[in-house]
Amino acid sequence: MSDPRPAHKRILLKLSGEALMGDDAFGINRATIVRMVEEVAEVVNMGVEVAVVIGGGNIFRGVAGGSVGMDRATADYMGMLATVMNSLALADAMNKQGLVARVMSAIAIEQVVEPYVRPKALQYLEEGKVVVFAAGTGNPFFTTDTAAALRGAEIGAELVLKATKVDGVYSADPKTHPDATRYSSLTFDEAIAQNLGIMDATAFALCRDQKLPIKVFSIFKNGALKRVVMGEDEGTLVHA
Ligand SMILES: Nc1ncnc2c1ncn2[C@@H]1O[C@H](COP(=O)(O)OP(=O)(O)OP(=O)(O)O)[C@@H](O)[C@H]1O
Ligand SMILES: O=c1ccn([C@@H]2O[C@H](COP(=O)(O)O)[C@@H](O)[C@H]2O)c(=O)[nH]1
């Protein structure tokens, strides 16, 4: 008989910002965010400690035209602020769903959200609250995938879960290579050597060095998050 207990006690969930758009051109689609939160609530209610990093692609790519020719670091700060907006929307939807969510920002905007303080984040997780890490790493030239790897390592997560628009890691981008094949698992070294664009190399390297495995799976597939948390066969595992 299979064990009904979750396979992981504490996870870091990286949610795609772009997926939040649903079928819209940019921004946050209400039905999509509600559905994502329902999936998260299911695993929180199983007793799993959940920390979240959300991307900013749904907002930032919508204004990216305005950043053409801009100083790179300034444009990156705009991107980090986009993740703050997504984090606020996500935490609000979580609180409405009956979860208790706290947003912690890597950039000081204290009138809006509390700053990231590691011991406080650990305390919230132990209390069963969902912690949403906003503003990425707080540094330009990085991504929210790297923020997920960084915060995942800091909080002692057992797994980083990348919930994205595709159902795993492929031999090439399945959007542009329909004949690409999906891996059920691969090593960090293989992912880096093949320059697989599903995550940036900095995120892969950090997880490799910290021996923090990553599961890539589709956020659009009903119940996929729960299956990953239960240790079932879902998506692609990237490991040391
Ligand atoms: N080898 C690959 N396997 C799978 N997907 C790939 C691969 N190479 C590139 N991709 C693309 O990477 C995308 C996911 O990465 P990306 O970082 O753009 O999105 P995200 O993290 O979901 O969004 P956001 O940055 O808004 O949070 C997929 O939609 C897919 O098209
Ligand atoms: O640590 C970070 C995280 C993000 N950025 C900037 O924000 C955007 C949006 O993040 P995505 O990971 O692409 O969703 C990103 O393109 C960067 O411009 C950052 O500078 N530092």
Side-chain angles (χ1 to χ4, degrees), residues 158-218:
E158 292 164 22
L159 186 66
V160 169
L161 285 74
K162 176 163 166 123
T164 185
K165 293 155 286 182
V166 291
D167 62 354
V169 182
Y170 283 74
S171 50
D173 186 348
K175 244 197 242 159
T176 48
H177 296 78
D179 54 339
T181 51
R182 190 171 68 81
Y183 296 102
S184 60
S185 73
L186 78 165
T187 66
F188 289 117
D189 285 341
E190 286 167 338
I192 293 167
Q194 292 175 47
N195 209 14
L196 297 175
I198 182 74
M199 275 178 106
D200 56 272
T202 312
F204 277 138
L206 183 51
C207 285
R208 177 191 60 192
D209 296 348
Q210 298 308 315
K211 300 191 172 36
L212 176 56
I214 303 172
K215 258 275 177 149
V216 178
F217 67 101
S218 170

Side-chain angles (χ1 to χ4, degrees), residues 22-207:
D23 291 329
D24 301 341
F26 64 90
I28 300 169
N29 178 279
R30 189 72 207 159
T32 306
I33 197 169
V34 167
R35 208 186 54 71
M36 279 186 191
V37 167
E38 283 169 357
E39 301 258 330
V40 174
E42 207 174 0
V43 299
V44 172
N45 292 333
M46 285 160 56
V48 179
E49 294 176 11
V50 180
V52 179
V53 168
I54 185 152
N58 57 317
I59 296 171
F60 188 56
R61 270 149 229 161
V63 298
S67 68
V68 173
M70 265 179 69
D71 169 58
R72 164 72 193 267
T74 306
D76 281 347
Y77 280 111
M78 288 169 63
M80 286 184 263
L81 292 175
T83 74
V84 176
M85 289 195 247
N86 280 340
S87 299
L88 289 171
L90 188 67
D92 179 81
M94 285 175 171
N95 290 329
K96 292 210 161 64
Q97 179 76 27
L99 299 174
V100 182
R102 294 281 184 269
V103 182
M104 302 187 114
S105 174
I107 292 176
I109 26 175
E110 280 167 41
Q111 283 84 353
V112 184
V113 284
E114 64 182 293
Y116 170 63
V117 176
R118 180 172 173 267
K120 192 85 190 162
L122 293 172
Q123 182 196 319
Y124 286 152
L125 290 169
E126 283 157 14
E127 290 168 355
K129 298 184 173 89
V130 178
V131 182
V132 183
F133 295 123
T137 63
N139 298 292
F141 308 106
F142 288 95
T143 66
T144 52
D145 283 341
T146 299
L150 175 67
R151 296 289 184 244
E154 281 189 86
I155 63 167
E158 292 164 22
L159 186 66
V160 169
L161 285 74
K162 176 163 166 123
T164 185
K165 293 155 286 182
V166 291
D167 62 354
V169 182
Y170 283 74
S171 50
D173 186 348
K175 244 197 242 159
T176 48
H177 296 78
D179 54 339
T181 51
R182 190 171 68 81
Y183 296 102
S184 60
S185 73
L186 78 165
T187 66
F188 289 117
D189 285 341
E190 286 167 338
I192 293 167
Q194 292 175 47
N195 209 14
L196 297 175
I198 182 74
M199 275 178 106
D200 56 272
T202 312
F204 277 138
L206 183 51
C207 285

